Amino acid sequence: MTTKQHLTERIGNLLKESKLSVTETRTKILELFMKSSGALEHSDFEKLTGKSFDRVTVYRTLQTFLDKGIIHSIPTTDTSIRYALCKSECSEHDHHDHHVHFKCEECGNTICLDETDVPQIQLPKGYAAHNVEVIVSGVCKSCK
């Protein structure tokens, strides 16, 4: 089996496990995620494919993937949103996005630091955290 066939099979299985139909747009977007070394922005899909994807279709596809636990969003200091693939333990009703993200100040690449846990936060009595997002900025090993 070639690498391309293996990737196509992985994508098909992921969509079927998530109870989603296999469409050209979903397949292409997941292919980009699987080939990417970092997080992607909405605008990256047009740039990386050379195709003119309908922005609404891309937005809806990303939202569906978020809802199904296929991808997670990464906050940024500007108005953009970046997305990355979730690990296999995420599901539609149970996201496990408990890791730190690193953003390179030189190239702008954002990656998930899966081996780095989010530090425990001690909140004052009466407070309850629902989400903790940690972004470390600096220079990646490629730009160093």
Side-chain angles (χ1 to χ4, degrees), residues 15-117:
L15 290 170
K16 288 173 189 170
E17 288 168 10
S18 299
K19 296 179 176 51
L20 294 171
S21 58
V22 179
T23 66
E24 181 184 356
T25 302
R26 288 176 179 163
T27 300
K28 193 63 181 172
I29 288 174
L30 281 175
E31 185 178 321
L32 290 172
F33 276 117
M34 290 180 178
K35 288 181 175 180
S36 175
S37 61
L40 299 171
E41 290 183 32
H42 190 277
S43 62
D44 290 332
F45 300 101
E46 280 186 46
K47 289 180 211 168
L48 294 171
T49 62
K51 285 186 173 182
S52 179
F53 278 118
D54 176 58
R55 290 175 191 253
V56 174
T57 302
V58 172
Y59 174 79
R60 286 183 181 155
T61 301
L62 293 173
Q63 190 59 51
T64 298
F65 289 170
L66 282 168
D67 294 343
K68 292 291 188 175
I70 296 172
I71 62 173
H72 63 276
S73 61
I74 301 169
T76 62
T77 54
D78 57 18
T79 59
S80 66
I81 300 173
R82 291 183 173 264
Y83 305 92
L85 278 176
C86 287
K87 301 303 171 204
S88 59
E89 64 269 8
C90 289
S91 68
E92 182 173 358
H93 302 290
D94 194 19
H95 253 319
H96 293 284
D97 182 28
H98 304 294
H99 58 266
V100 175
H101 295 96
F102 181 89
K103 181 173 187 207
C104 179
E105 296 168 342
E106 297 290 322
C107 66
N109 196 20
T110 301
I111 62 165
C112 298
L113 301 176
D114 296 316
E115 304 302 318
T116 306
D117 291 328

